[in-house]
Amino acid sequence: MAEPPQSRQSDLRPILHYEEYTIAWICARQEETEAAIYMLDARHRGVFPHVHGDDNHYIPGEIAGHMVVITCLPRNSTGTVSASTVVSQIRQSFRNLRYGLMVGVGAGVPGPNLKPDIRLGDVVVATPSDNSSSPAGVIGYDLGAETVDGFILRDWQAPTDRRLRNALEWIKIEAEFEGTDDFVQYLNVFASREQGRNFMHPMIEDNLYQGDESNELVARPPRETGGPKVHYGPIASGNKLIKNAKLRDELRDKYGIFCFEMESAGIMNTIPVAVIRGVCHYADSHQNDIWNRYAAATAAAYAKGLLNQIGPETKVAIQSAPNSK
């Protein structure tokens, strides 16, 4: 009987160490994960030892000196429960995790009288509104009780971590001072590779319709610059895909929301996380997938800018005092 061939040394993949990674970059869709990979300054080749109970797959790498792992929800498993399961398993394996980034696409909510004037490809970052008494930037709008007096919201979302909130505030201040958003430079990487061009601006009209049954467009002034804008405000998170302009506007007026998505309400109480969404449609019946990849790219570029703002943690060596005898 023939002996099995021995493994060659070149076939062995290096073993990666969970404790070295401090940032979890979480996506819900394939195109969001692809956009995240483009943001890596370096991709680590290797494999993590299997941990029983952790079913996630991780793409490890480095961004701005941070040790980052990228993971994605299973296909066709969006929603708060799936997101909660994924993040719980991340916490089980990566004991030194400091922050999470929930990065991907979402449905933009144009404000009353276009204030804010949210457009496709723009970025929405979850922060409390100026009028809010709560520091939470994510609203679990379908968490509550149906009573004889109507729906009562009972949402216990944790606020964005203070360190992350401070970094977001400084990004906003610097953008207003400089008159431009620094993160836009990271979109250039998509033009440098053939497949990356799928993530560039689709170069079609951005149409906002007056209603679900209408083909009349909302009149909006042209923008002075073609790049994405960033909006800071509450993001609504729940297990329903909103494709109804009337409901969208009702929830906007009730909670002051800027964006809808379907994952963050499941993870805010599990890990300190920043929620970053690129706008791919307007939560109405006219939505399609044309803007998905560009929206995923703008959100990923902002997330990389956030990691550059935070800066990596330094390990301070503790030196023993000289022995005095």
Side-chain angles (χ1 to χ4, degrees):
M1 188 172 179
E3 292 287 332
Q6 296 197 1
S7 298
R8 293 171 298 181
Q9 190 68 28
S10 59
D11 292 336
L12 299 178
R13 301 177 67 188
I15 300 299
L16 301 175
H17 302 286
Y18 289 105
E19 63 271 16
E20 294 180 354
Y21 293 83
T22 58
I23 304 291
W25 184 310
I26 307 148
C27 305
R29 304 163 61 106
Q30 177 181 331
E31 61 265 28
E32 298 169 357
T33 308
E34 293 177 25
I37 295 172
Y38 276 97
M39 293 298 106
L40 292 174
D41 296 327
R43 184 169 176 178
H44 299 164
R45 303 295 177 179
V47 61
F48 290 104
H50 176 67
V51 174
H52 182 71
D54 186 351
D55 303 319
N56 298 328
H57 178 76
Y58 300 105
I59 299 171
E62 189 171 339
I63 300 176
H66 294 277
M67 300 288 277
V68 178
V69 287
I70 301 168
T71 192
C72 184
L73 275 61
R75 183 181 291 273
N76 298 327
S77 296
T78 57
T80 59
V81 174
S82 181
S84 178
T85 300
V86 167
V87 170
S88 295
Q89 293 179 356
I90 294 173
R91 289 290 302 271
Q92 177 182 336
S93 299
F94 294 90
R95 301 301 178 88
N96 290 333
L97 211 60
R98 291 298 308 277
Y99 307 115
L101 304 176
M102 187 75 223
V103 187
V105 301
V109 181
N113 301 315
L114 298 179
K115 296 180 181 180
D117 185 7
I118 296 174
R119 304 199 183 185
L120 299 181
D122 284 359
V123 177
V124 179
V125 182
T127 59
S129 66
D130 294 337
N131 300 324
S132 175
S133 60
S134 168
V138 171
I139 299 173
Y141 68 94
D142 58 358
L143 297 175
E146 290 287 356
T147 72
V148 293
D149 297 318
F151 181 75
I152 299 176
L153 183 68
R154 292 178 178 172
D155 184 24
W156 299 278
Q157 297 297 316
T160 303
D161 177 83
R162 184 172 181 176
R163 178 70 183 93
L164 292 174
R165 293 205 311 269
N166 288 339
L168 295 172
E169 186 64 25
W170 276 106
I171 291 175
K172 182 179 179 181
I173 291 171
E174 289 180 355
E176 291 178 353
F177 179 79
E178 297 292 342
T180 184
D181 289 291
D182 186 64
F183 77 92
V184 175
Q185 64 179 302
Y186 303 124
L187 293 172
N188 295 333
V189 69
F190 296 105
S192 65
R193 297 182 62 180
E194 183 175 353
Q195 294 300 319
R197 294 171 188 170
N198 295 326
F199 289 87
M200 297 174 67
H201 194 289
M203 304 303 293
I204 63 171
E205 290 295 325
D206 172 5
N207 294 325
L208 173 62
Y209 294 87
Q210 293 185 7
D212 290 316
E213 305 299 327
S214 173
N215 289 321
E216 296 292 324
L217 299 179
V218 175
R220 297 183 291 180
R223 281 187 168 172
E224 296 180 0
T225 60
K229 301 297 183 183
V230 183
H231 309 275
Y232 298 87
I235 290 180
S237 182
N239 288 306
K240 296 184 290 188
L241 176 63
I242 304 297
K243 302 176 69 173
N244 183 318
K246 184 175 183 293
L247 176 60
R248 174 199 69 195
D249 292 345
E250 288 175 354
L251 292 171
R252 174 201 67 193
D253 296 340
K254 188 174 185 178
Y255 301 120
I257 58 178
F258 284 27
C259 179
F260 287 101
E261 54 98 272
M262 297 177 63
E263 288 80 33
S264 298
I267 66 176
M268 295 300 295
N269 295 335
T270 306
I271 183 177
V273 63
V275 181
I276 302 162
R277 295 294 181 179
V279 176
C280 64
H281 60 79
Y282 292 118
D284 59 14
S285 62
H286 299 279
Q287 65 181 262
N288 56 57
D289 296 335
I290 296 175
W291 290 81
N292 282 14
R293 288 182 177 273
Y294 178 65
T298 59
Y302 183 95
K304 181 169 184 172
L306 174 59
L307 290 180
N308 271 280
Q309 181 69 36
I310 295 173
E313 295 185 17
T314 57
K315 296 180 180 179
V316 180
I318 300 176
Q319 297 182 350
S320 300
N323 211 344
S324 56
K325 288 186 179 181

